[in-house]
């Protein structure tokens, strides 16, 4: 059921268009929030991240309990987590972030085309601040 929910949300997001923040930061929208019935105290939250051409997010960490599976839906995203080398992910590619990971680079790889990703968080149900920016 959860896999079906993720597929349905991903398909809907791929068809949607979105506006960007005026300061060229990524627009972030929680698109689903579901308690996990077989894992008491945990929830799955889907977050759509939309980048304008040349857009980016400041360096950040996530909620202490968060395990994140991020999939690029459109365009290409430059990402650098911890001391790993920066990598560009294209539509259909993904990565995982674990509790305590530092996301130093998160940016649209293109100056001309938008980019979008879906980040699926498994997090303590009580967590309200999913991303803590360094700016």
């Amino acid at each position: 059921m959860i896999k079906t929910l993720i597929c349905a949300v991903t398909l809907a997001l791929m068809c949607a268009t979105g506006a960007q923040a005026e300061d060229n930061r990524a627009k972030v929208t929680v698109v689903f929030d579901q308690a996990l019935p077989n894992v008491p105290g945990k929830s799955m939250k889907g977050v759509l991240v939309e980048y304008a051409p040349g857009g980016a997010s400041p360096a950040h960490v996530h909620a202490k309990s968060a395990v994140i599976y991020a999939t690029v839906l459109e365009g290409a995203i430059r990402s650098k987590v911890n001391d790993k080398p920066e990598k560009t992910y294209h539509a259909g590619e993904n990565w995982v972030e674990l509790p305590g990971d530092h996301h130093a680079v998160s940016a649209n790889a293109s100056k001309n085309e938008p980019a979008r990703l879906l980040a699926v968080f498994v997090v303590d149900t009580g967590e309200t601040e999913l991303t803590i920016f360094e700016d």
Side-chain angles (χ1 to χ4, degrees):
M1 179 169 144
I2 291 173
K3 188 174 183 179
T4 302
L5 175 64
I6 292 171
C7 290
V9 169
T10 301
L11 181 60
L13 293 174
M14 291 174 83
C15 295
T17 60
Q20 306 301 333
E22 288 180 28
D23 66 0
N24 215 26
R25 284 190 183 197
K27 178 183 177 191
V28 178
T29 307
V30 176
V31 294
F32 66 87
D33 184 349
Q34 177 67 47
L36 296 175
N38 59 339
V39 187
K42 294 288 185 181
S43 289
M44 183 169 60
K45 300 180 184 204
V47 177
L48 176 64
V49 183
E50 300 171 277
Y51 296 92
S57 296
H60 58 274
V61 295
H62 293 288
K64 289 182 182 183
S65 65
V67 174
I68 302 146
Y69 179 82
T71 300
V72 178
L73 301 175
E74 175 186 4
I77 307 283
R78 291 185 305 109
S79 181
K80 177 175 174 40
V81 178
N82 296 328
D83 58 355
K84 295 178 186 170
E86 184 176 303
K87 182 175 177 182
T88 298
Y89 295 88
H90 300 279
E93 295 182 319
N94 55 69
W95 69 90
V96 173
E97 293 181 49
L98 300 174
D101 281 352
H102 178 256
H103 204 158
V105 176
S106 184
N108 188 341
S110 174
K111 301 288 184 201
N112 303 313
E113 301 293 328
R116 296 185 302 157
L117 69 85
L118 176 65
V120 177
F121 288 68
V122 175
V123 64
D124 289 346
T125 299
E127 291 282 8
T128 56
E129 189 172 18
L130 296 178
T131 304
I132 300 94
F133 293 107
E134 293 180 2
D135 279 347

